[in-house]
């Protein structure tokens, strides 16, 4: 007998829409298959068989996060196939900071009304993020929440698991004074600080498509630019150079995130003129009248990832990163002190 509940549908949940969503997303999920995937989607659990060959002491490292209020821009623009990239990026960029290679990802989509084509579009972005980071999408959940959230709204969260060999993990313990800090450029505001962003521009359906001389695209399109995923370039760098510490620049900006990569008694000296500040940040500071301190304490300012290497390895590291598509810049160096971040 076909699975269908007239009573449940009358209460606001159409389980047949859920089945259609799964069918529509299968082609996107298939793009993410990598060695180790045991099961397809649709079961009660996602199965993955990790390869521990060549590892002395395998360690599994997990990360979870959501997209935050950036998702409101997707609603206003009715564009849903990129927000999933942000969901993946926020997880895998954290995992890589430990030196871990992401293995698999699971998503959770809560939606007011399950429109299969919309759900499939969201999953299209999630699958693209997985492809960019080399991990598999092995499961997820779409939950229809009538009465809890408006029909046209949804939220997306994710969870990923990576693997690292414990002797090769990155924890900042090998940092020494004089190590060079290298910045990897961001693609934009990424997925942090959007409550402030929306307040600055008073974003709604009337302002979302505003244009500014500083921007080469309308405001909404600029802000919806997906979070950059740094996994593959960083993994390539780790094969040839000892990366001593890594920091994903998310909410809290420079002041909160860079100290997390430093060991006790050390600080980061950053040359302000070396920061590749994107036009959107200058625009936000001007329009919102935001102090420079608050900008650097909220946003990535054009740098989505910071890594530390020995001074003797800095040139080689930048060359390797450029070979892998990253226009890396020298931001500064590690110094003694307890200030956390010092701008010069």
């Amino acid at each position: 007998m076909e699975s269908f509940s007239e009573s449940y549908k009358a209460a606001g949940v159409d389980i047949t829409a859920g089945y259609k969503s799964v069918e529509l997303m299968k082609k996107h999920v298939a793009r993410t298959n990598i060695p180790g995937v045991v099961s397809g989607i649709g079961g009660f659990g996602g199965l993955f068989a990790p390869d521990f060959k060549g590892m002395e002491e395998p360690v599994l490292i997990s990360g979870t996060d959501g997209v935050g209020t950036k998702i409101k821009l997707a609603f206003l623009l009715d564009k849903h196939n990129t927000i999933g990239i942000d969901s993946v990026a926020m997880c895998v960029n954290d995992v890589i900071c430990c030196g871990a290679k992401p293995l698999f990802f699971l998503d959770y989509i809560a939606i007011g009304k399950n429109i299969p084509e919309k759900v499939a579009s969201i999953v299209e972005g999630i699958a693209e993020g997985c492809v960019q980071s080399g991990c598999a999408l092995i499961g997820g959940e779409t939950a229809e929440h009538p009465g809890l959230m408006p029909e046209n709204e949804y939220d997306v969260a994710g969870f990923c698991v990576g693997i690292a060999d414990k002797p090769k993990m990155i924890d900042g313990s090998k940092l020494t004074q004089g190590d060079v800090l290298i910045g990897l450029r961001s693609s934009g505001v990424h997925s942090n600080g959007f409550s402030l962003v929306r307040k600055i521009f008073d974003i709604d359906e009337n302002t979302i498509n505003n244009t500014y001389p500083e921007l080469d695209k309308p405001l909404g399109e600029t802000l919806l630019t997906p979070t950059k995923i740094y996994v593959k370039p960083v993994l390539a760098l780790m094969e040839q150079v000892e990366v001593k510490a890594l920091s994903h620049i998310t909410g809290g900006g420079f002041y909160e995130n860079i100290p997390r990569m430093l060991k006790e008694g050390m600080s980061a000296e950053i040359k302000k003129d070396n920061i590749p500040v994107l036009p959107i940040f200058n625009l936000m500071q001007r329009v919102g009248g935001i102090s420079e301190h608050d900008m650097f304490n909220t946003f990535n300012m054009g740098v989505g990832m910071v890594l530390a290497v020995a001074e003797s390895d800095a040139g080689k590291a930048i060359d390797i990163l450029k070979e892998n598509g990253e226009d890396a810049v020298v931001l500064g160096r590690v110094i003694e002190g307890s200030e956390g971040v010092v701008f010069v």
Side-chain angles (χ1 to χ4, degrees):
M1 181 181 291
E2 182 181 358
S3 176
F4 175 74
S5 171
E6 189 68 47
S7 299
Y8 208 9
K9 184 176 181 180
V13 176
D14 184 356
I15 57 177
T16 59
Y19 303 148
K20 185 177 180 183
S21 296
V22 172
E23 287 303 311
L24 291 175
M25 67 178 69
K26 280 183 176 178
K27 64 181 179 181
H28 303 303
V29 176
R31 294 181 58 216
T32 75
N33 279 346
I34 61 173
V37 175
V38 176
S39 64
I41 60 170
F44 288 99
L47 308 183
F48 192 92
D51 183 3
F52 297 140
K53 292 191 192 78
M55 291 191 174
E56 294 179 36
E57 193 175 349
V59 177
L60 296 178
I61 297 161
S62 59
T64 186
D65 209 341
V67 180
T69 62
K70 179 178 184 176
I71 216 159
K72 279 191 167 289
L73 277 71
F75 303 159
L76 288 168
L77 292 173
D78 194 24
K79 180 176 173 59
H80 311 286
N81 66 343
T82 63
I83 207 75
I85 300 174
D86 294 286
S87 176
V88 176
M90 296 304 291
C91 297
V92 297
N93 283 346
D94 278 355
V95 164
I96 193 65
C97 287
C98 298
K101 173 181 170 56
L103 295 176
F104 58 83
F105 187 87
L106 289 89
D107 65 75
Y108 179 82
I109 302 169
I111 193 163
K113 181 177 177 58
N114 188 338
I115 301 171
E117 291 76 13
K118 180 183 284 189
V119 172
S121 184
I122 298 167
V123 174
E124 178 186 352
I126 294 169
E128 174 60 26
C130 288
V131 169
Q132 289 183 23
S133 56
C135 71
L137 177 57
I138 63 171
E141 172 71 10
T142 301
E144 199 168 11
H145 287 168
L148 183 62
M149 56 201 310
E151 288 190 355
N152 64 336
E153 293 190 2
Y154 58 85
D155 195 14
V156 181
F159 168 83
C160 76
V161 171
I163 191 168
D165 196 359
K166 191 172 182 180
K168 298 179 182 178
M169 285 180 61
I170 299 172
D171 61 6
S173 61
K174 297 180 181 178
L175 283 172
T176 59
Q177 184 179 1
D179 286 341
V180 173
L181 298 171
I182 295 173
L184 307 186
R185 295 173 188 262
S186 69
S187 55
V189 185
H190 283 186
S191 302
N192 301 102
F194 272 85
S195 295
L196 178 55
V197 171
R198 290 184 300 110
K199 181 181 178 182
I200 290 171
F201 294 110
D202 193 20
I203 290 179
D204 58 20
E205 62 276 6
N206 298 313
T207 60
I208 188 72
N209 289 312
N210 283 355
T211 58
Y212 294 88
E214 294 94 332
L215 306 179
D216 58 6
K217 293 182 291 187
L219 178 64
E221 191 177 346
T222 299
L223 293 172
L224 199 60
T225 301
T227 304
K228 196 169 187 179
I229 292 176
Y230 300 98
V231 171
K232 291 181 178 179
V234 170
L235 288 175
L237 177 63
M238 287 171 56
E239 290 179 0
Q240 300 182 62
V241 170
E242 181 183 38
V243 178
K244 297 187 178 185
L246 277 161
S247 178
H248 183 200
I249 310 302
T250 55
F254 278 49
Y255 284 112
E256 183 177 316
N257 290 291
I258 292 179
R260 295 168 66 182
M261 70 187 281
L262 303 171
K263 66 181 184 181
E264 190 173 351
M266 291 191 170
S267 294
E269 182 182 81
I270 305 291
K271 293 184 178 179
K272 197 175 294 184
D273 290 344
N274 289 10
I275 299 170
V277 178
L278 292 169
I280 184 63
F281 296 111
N282 292 325
L283 177 64
M284 285 195 294
Q285 186 172 5
R286 176 175 65 79
V287 173
I290 310 298
S291 70
E292 183 178 75
H293 176 276
D294 285 358
M295 290 296 295
F296 277 96
N297 210 159
T298 309
F299 302 110
N300 68 63
M301 300 302 289
V303 177
M305 185 79 72
V306 176
L307 58 89
V309 299
E311 185 176 13
S312 58
D313 287 331
K316 182 179 180 181
I318 288 175
D319 289 342
I320 293 169
L321 288 165
K322 287 185 177 179
E323 289 169 5
N324 286 274
E326 291 296 330
D327 187 11
V329 297
V330 172
L331 290 178
R333 63 192 180 102
V334 176
I335 60 172
E336 291 184 356
S338 57
E339 297 91 345
V341 177
V342 179
F343 288 103
V344 295

